[in-house]
Amino acid sequence: MSVQLPDIRVLKYYSKCSIIELMASSLPDKEFLGTLAKGLSVITVFDEKTPVLTVTAAAAAIGVSRATARRILHTLHQLGYVEQNGRSFSLAPKALDLGYRYLSSQSWIERAGMLLKVLSEEIGESASAAVLQGTEIVYVAHVPSRRLLSVDETIGTHLPAFHTALGRVQLGYLKGADLWARLKSVRHSSYTSSTIINMQGLYDRIQSDRDQGFAIIDEELEKGLRSLAVPVLGRDDNLLGAISISVNATRTTRDYLRTVYLPKLRAVAVNITDGT
Amino acid sequence: MSVQLPDIRVLKYYSKCSIIELMASSLPDKEFLGTLAKGLSVITVFDEKTPVLTVTAAAAAIGVSRATARRILHTLHQLGYVEQNGRSFSLAPKALDLGYRYLSSQSWIERAGMLLKVLSEEIGESASAAVLQGTEIVYVAHVPSRRLLSVDETIGTHLPAFHTALGRVQLGYLKGADLWARLKSVRHSSYTSSTIINMQGLYDRIQSDRDQGFAIIDEELEKGLRSLAVPVLGRDDNLLGAISISVNATRTTRDYLRTVYLPKLRAVAVNITDGT
């Protein structure tokens, strides 16, 4: 049976893509360190549903022998990334370090956090920064609004890129073929009656958002939630991420977002770029 | 020249402990996967001062050959953990995932975050949760106060365990020898005129905090900052972490912390335990 394997570059778009799929790819790669890949893969097996792993469970989860799983967990334990309790292994707080390295190595994120805090205090609404990762956005900064009904995303939270202002405004920076590949790689769900799930419709909206330099999501992801996002660029006009303001739809109109908040959000984006 | 190498268990207390030191340890360890260790080590080279790495710089930083460094960066790139721009490599947002796995696999953290939010809104002060890691604490939840002068720690931030309420109240759960080893492994700096830097003094304070079930830090880390912390235990009385309330010293007395806030904070800790 001949199976058409996806290109390794397309595979990478899947944030949930397992190392097993990657290694099953037909491309021979002598430079690829399978042991490193399997070790990182074991870390990503842990989540809310799998807080602890035995050697046997780890072996089954990533498709390696018990001996290999044992050596991986032993190594991660020696390095302080996992804790051992009898035959059970769980992630240690040191694993947080690995993620924190990303946040601390991206100087624009700290700057964005400070500037968004000032903006959020001025307008009394929540403000966020996120980066695009495959077909999702990952929050890297968030300032909750002072109001009671506020959006509560936290750093590291994932949301579908195609249905968030933060995502759409970044997707427009991709080449057409790349954008189509990502559009096709996910099943687009209706979150509300306003969610755009038609692929051509999403493609066109992303292009027009790119042209106008901002994206507005009007109750497409959640009833009562409106968001405005603009891209954050580096000095070389490379895309770093995006920043947004989220408001309660019953309180703030789409027009108000465009006329009052858009100039303020753009000023923050320019200020971030200037600091890079 | 004969050098006394520290025990591998002591080495692990150093959060900055490099894999190089660990591998230089005299213990032969056939189960240890050097490739996995070196790969993780490359991720931790990235920080605010080193946002990008070339193959040569990565090789120098972790003490491996250029060929090995190249294969590590290539593998991390294939897996989506690093991005490549010409000869420069930087961390990709996917690295955040590795840290997020820890947060999502520890169910008490999410519960602590929700309960601390309610507490923070009730008392109008900032509240936090942290775990002990070697000689440091790592914030895993934080709710800023609604007041202007608030403490702004974020998830993933490290602070010295011996000079924070969140750290001291956890250090008391260590065995005496372990506590002494950690006490001796760091140089204790005077942050303010009230900082306890005497090791016996710190040891005694940690023991009495353990006996009373809470720790108060009174302007020892920062002028004007008072903190109260209590331990968070699992159902088996195992230590999970600690939670704290931080206040402005000019506004809230130490007595008020003890009589009004301590019962509230303890109630949250019990509530977290009940949910585990």
Side-chain angles (χ1 to χ4, degrees), chain A residues 29-30 33 46 74-75 101, chain B residues 29 33 71 74-75 101:
Chain A
D29 185 349
K30 286 181 186 167
L33 298 167
F46 292 98
H74 170 75
T75 305
R101 294 290 164 171
Chain B
D29 185 350
L33 298 166
R71 294 185 69 186
H74 170 74
T75 306
R101 294 290 163 171

Side-chain angles (χ1 to χ4, degrees), chain A residues 8 12 14-17 19 22 27 29-41 43-51 67-68 70-72 74-81 83 90-107 110 117 121 131-133 138-140 144-148 150 152 154-158, chain B residues 8 12 14-17 19 22 27 29-41 43-51 67-68 70-72 74-83 90-107 117 121 131-133 138-140 144-148 150 152 154-158:
Chain A
I8 199 163
K12 269 174 49 195
Y14 295 89
S15 69
K16 301 284 174 199
C17 156
I19 174 57
L22 210 70
L27 302 171
D29 185 349
K30 286 181 186 167
E31 294 281 295
F32 191 81
L33 298 167
T35 305
L36 172 55
K38 289 173 206 152
L40 288 165
S41 189
I43 294 178
T44 62
V45 173
F46 292 98
D47 62 13
E48 49 279 334
K49 285 175 196 147
T50 316
T68 301
R70 192 185 65 239
R71 293 185 70 186
I72 289 171
H74 170 75
T75 305
L76 293 173
H77 181 241
Q78 289 293 79
L79 296 170
Y81 290 108
E83 280 163 2
S90 57
L91 277 185
K94 194 176 174 184
L96 261 182
D97 265 15
L98 297 169
Y100 192 63
R101 294 290 164 171
Y102 170 72
L103 292 178
S104 65
S105 67
Q106 301 282 315
S107 62
E110 198 188 341
K117 194 170 182 184
E121 269 163 19
V131 291
L132 182 65
Q133 185 194 315
V138 185
Y139 281 86
V140 294
S145 89
R146 294 283 186 247
R147 299 183 199 247
L148 276 180
S150 73
D152 194 17
T154 5
I155 291 168
T157 302
H158 290 237
Chain B
I8 199 163
K12 270 174 48 195
Y14 293 89
S15 67
K16 300 286 174 198
C17 156
I19 172 56
L22 210 72
L27 301 171
D29 185 350
K30 287 182 186 166
E31 294 281 294
F32 191 82
L33 298 166
T35 304
L36 172 54
K38 287 173 208 153
L40 288 166
S41 188
I43 294 178
T44 64
V45 173
F46 291 98
D47 63 13
E48 49 278 337
K49 284 174 198 146
T50 315
T68 301
R70 192 186 65 239
R71 294 185 69 186
I72 290 171
H74 170 74
T75 306
L76 293 174
H77 181 240
Q78 289 294 77
L79 296 170
Y81 290 109
V82 303
E83 280 163 1
S90 56
L91 277 184
K94 193 176 176 184
L96 261 182
D97 264 16
L98 297 169
Y100 191 65
R101 294 290 163 171
Y102 170 73
L103 292 177
S104 66
S105 67
Q106 301 283 313
S107 62
K117 194 170 179 180
E121 267 164 19
V131 291
L132 182 65
Q133 186 194 316
V138 185
Y139 282 87
V140 293
S145 88
R146 294 284 187 247
R147 298 182 200 251
L148 274 181
S150 73
D152 195 17
T154 5
I155 293 168
T157 301
H158 291 237

Side-chain angles (χ1 to χ4, degrees), chain B residues 10-11 22 24 33 46 84 91 118 121 127 131 137 144 153 167 204 242 244 248-249 261 264 266 269:
Chain B
V10 175
L11 263 177
L22 210 72
L33 298 166
F46 291 98
Q84 185 169 7
L91 277 184
V118 175
E121 267 164 19
V131 291
I137 52 160
E153 307 98 342
D204 294 346
S244 72
N248 184 324
Y261 289 166
K264 290 178 192 289
R266 278 189 163 146

